[in-house]
């Protein structure tokens, strides 16, 4: 028994170390460049690290203004702050929190699986397939705010399971469930439903006392209250609320409520939402390249039948189980899955990152389905296919990592604006120009705000300069922000400015700029003209 335990511990740490190293190696350069949402969170985190405000000067916001018409959750950016202070402002520093919490989540998967099914072999195998899972790996290596949600929920879920016996764990779980409100807006209409159903079941089955539930509600409410107040302020169009500790902002331009079905209900849209979830999650059709590699899907295509088997068998065990505590754990896992399905149904035509909460339970169900299949075949034939499945997923993992370092590395570049960032850096370093006219034509869309935030990121722009409270930027005295940086569309002709200036244009647009300019720099997509 001791040797078996030692073997389990050894394998646990081998998987964990491998997974962590894989998520950290070349973190700042693969994927190269930066995604616009990643850059937005990073610039707010940079401002927070220096001034305790977002890039607009708002003191410790509970929710970020971000794009104006669409906002951004704050939790990931606040996690970035200490790493920016330690390592300086860099792509590595801003991606490090996501890589770390993704690695922690792999260990959490082991303890959840072990706690529910009481099988160390199943827990290790599920941990292993999580470590090489395409969705889990890809999201761990870039820093978009919404991808913090499944990890925070997962940690809260583990503590909730422990909380059936240890009340301190129950109360601590409420801290993490409360924090989900700051990780992704979807949590507001997902987490309370999950907790309500689970609490009601545990109260009826006498797994929790009313006192425990009341204390849990109080902790959860206190943690989540500032974000709840953000909802109230914006629902009733109230003024922003400033406190010494944080700011509860009003967003008059917000259009985010349009993404929620029950605020704009129609059966046609419900059907579209369901179809989108079915295709992206359960059939695993191609999604955006920054979410999945088409050949592998988010979970590996071969996992689909085992995922279904796992769901069916866990449901069967739930109804068959006589011990209430174990039954409650099965219910919690099924509730985790149903929470993901709920998100998929009421959120506008989800893609992989919008319905990210669903993937952790599906990974667990995949492990369960494979183990149930192995046990069934063993009973029928006397032969075990456990090694065969392990080797199969090892081969899939190797193929995936190779593809990530080759196909994905090149395919992702337009989505992470590699060429645009290079052109901006070159143009801004020119000492003989006072103003920059920068195209709003990105490689994936035309968007002036996207060009602006990527420019700020490329130049590591001090938020005080952006707010025009100083004319100093990176040791240089420049024109005020609004006079130096101009974001223009492809129809813009030669400026009448008398100041020395340069254009950053898409090479396909060069004909729309008046002739007579010298090409100072060009790459595959962009040119700097003077």
């Amino acid at each position: 028994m001791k040797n078996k335990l030692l073997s389990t511990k050894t394998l646990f740490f081998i998987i964990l170390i491998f997974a962590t190293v894989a998520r950290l190696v070349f973190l700042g350069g693969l994927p190269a460049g930066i995604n616009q949402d990643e850059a937005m969170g990073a610039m707010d985190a940079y401002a927070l690290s220096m001034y305790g405000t977002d890039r607009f000067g708002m003191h410790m916001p509970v929710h970020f203004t971000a794009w104006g018409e669409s906002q951004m959750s704050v939790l990931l950016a606040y996690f970035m702050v200490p790493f920016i202070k330690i390592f300086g402002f860099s792509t590595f520093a801003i991606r490090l929190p996501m890589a770390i919490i993704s690695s922690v989540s792999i260990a959490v998967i082991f303890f959840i699986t072990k706690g529910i099914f009481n099988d160390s072999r199943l827990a290790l195998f599920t941990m292993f397939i999580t470590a090489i899972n395409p969705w889990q790996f890809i999201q761990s290596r870039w820093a978009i705010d919404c991808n913090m949600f499944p990890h925070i929920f997962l940690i809260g879920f583990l503590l909730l399971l422990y909380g059936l016996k240890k009340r301190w764990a129950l109360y601590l779980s409420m801290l993490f469930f409360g924090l989900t409100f700051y990780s992704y807006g979807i949590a507001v209409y997902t987490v309370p439903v999950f907790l309500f159903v689970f609490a009601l079941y545990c109260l009826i089955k006498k797994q929790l006392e009313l006192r425990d539930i009341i204390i849990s509600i109080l902790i959860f409410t206190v943690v989540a209250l500032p974000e709840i107040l953000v909802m109230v302020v914006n629902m009733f169009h109230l003024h922003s609320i400033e406190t010494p500790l944080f700011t509860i902002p009003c967003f008059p331009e917000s259009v985010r409520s349009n993404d929620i079905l029950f605020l704009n209900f129609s059966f046609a849209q419900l059907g579209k939402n369901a179809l989108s979830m079915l295709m992206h999650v359960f059939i695993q059709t191609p999604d955006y390249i920054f979410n999945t590699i088409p050949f592998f899907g988010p979970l590996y295509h071969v996992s689909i039948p085992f995922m279904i088997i796992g769901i069916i068998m866990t449901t069967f065990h739930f109804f068959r189980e006589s011990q209430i505590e174990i039954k409650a754990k099965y219910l919690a896992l099924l509730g985790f899955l149903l929470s993901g399905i709920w998100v998929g149904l009421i959120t506008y035509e989800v893609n992989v990152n919008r319905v990210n909460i669903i993937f952790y339970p599906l990974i667990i169900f995949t492990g369960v389905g494979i183990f149930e299949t192995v046990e069934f075949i063993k009973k029928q034939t006397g032969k075990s296919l456990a090694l065969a499945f392990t080797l199969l997923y090892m081969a899939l993992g190797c193929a995936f990592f190779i593809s990530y370092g080759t196909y994905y590395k090149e395919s992702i570049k337009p989505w992470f604006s590699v060429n645009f960032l290079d052109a901006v850096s070159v143009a801004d370093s020119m000492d003989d120009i006072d103003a920059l006219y920068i195209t709003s034509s990105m490689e994936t869309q035309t968007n002036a705000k996207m060009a602006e935030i990527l420019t700020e990121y490329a130049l590591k722009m001090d938020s005080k300069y952006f707010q025009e409270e100083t004319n100093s930027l990176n040791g240089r005295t420049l024109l005020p922000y609004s006079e130096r940086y101009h974001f223009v569309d492809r129809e813009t002709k030669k400026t009448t400015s008398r100041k020395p200036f340069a254009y950053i244009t898409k090479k396909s647009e060069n004909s729309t700029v008046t002739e007579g300019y010298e090409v100072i720099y060009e790459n595959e997509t962009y040119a700097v003209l003077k």
Side-chain angles (χ1 to χ4, degrees), residues 42-228:
M43 295 312 299
D44 280 325
Y46 190 31
L48 284 166
S49 72
M50 292 190 290
Y51 308 113
T53 71
D54 68 4
R55 59 193 273 266
F56 295 104
M58 184 183 294
H59 171 65
M60 300 295 284
V62 172
H63 212 91
F64 287 139
T65 304
W67 304 99
E69 70 278 0
S70 60
Q71 295 76 52
M72 184 173 284
S73 300
V74 300
L75 188 62
L76 178 56
Y78 279 104
F79 281 175
M80 290 177 188
V81 170
F83 294 100
I84 292 173
K85 286 184 172 291
I86 293 169
F87 298 106
F89 184 71
S90 66
T91 305
F92 173 79
I94 67 153
R95 289 177 177 170
L96 192 53
M98 188 63 74
I100 291 173
I101 198 166
S102 296
S103 300
V104 170
S105 292
I106 293 168
V108 172
I109 284 288
F110 171 87
F111 293 111
I112 288 174
T113 309
K114 177 70 164 58
I116 296 174
F117 298 97
N118 195 30
D119 189 327
S120 295
R121 297 172 305 154
L122 172 58
L124 280 172
F125 182 77
T126 307
M127 181 186 182
F128 164 65
I129 63 174
T130 306
I132 62 168
N133 176 264
W135 162 77
Q136 216 276 356
F137 184 80
I138 288 174
Q139 62 79 40
S140 74
R141 294 184 59 88
W142 66 294
I144 185 171
D145 62 317
C146 65
N147 279 338
M148 184 63 69
F149 177 38
H151 306 296
I152 301 298
F153 188 96
L154 190 75
I155 296 171
F157 184 84
L158 174 63
L159 291 166
L160 184 67
L161 296 181
Y162 285 171
L164 293 174
K165 284 190 173 181
K166 301 174 181 178
R167 292 301 182 255
W168 66 264
L170 174 67
Y171 304 146
L172 185 58
S173 75
M174 293 302 114
L175 168 64
F176 284 91
F177 284 124
L179 287 175
T180 61
F181 276 40
Y182 306 94
S183 64
Y184 194 16
I186 281 173
V188 172
Y189 55 83
T190 305
V191 176
V193 176
F194 168 80
L195 291 176
F196 173 79
V197 174
F198 186 74
L200 184 62
Y201 178 85
C202 289
L203 184 63
I204 293 171
K205 297 297 183 179
K206 299 181 180 180
Q207 292 298 294
L208 294 174
E209 296 178 1
L210 182 60
R211 173 180 173 274
D212 300 321
I213 293 174
I214 292 173
I215 293 173
S216 297
I217 291 172
L218 289 173
I219 296 171
F220 175 82
T221 303
V222 168
V223 175
L225 184 59
E227 182 64 26
I228 294 171

Side-chain angles (χ1 to χ4, degrees), residues 333-349:
L333 182 58
L334 292 168
F336 199 161
L337 171 66
L338 291 173
S339 296
I341 293 174
W342 167 254
V343 167
L345 290 176
I346 67 173
T347 307
Y348 182 82
E349 297 181 23

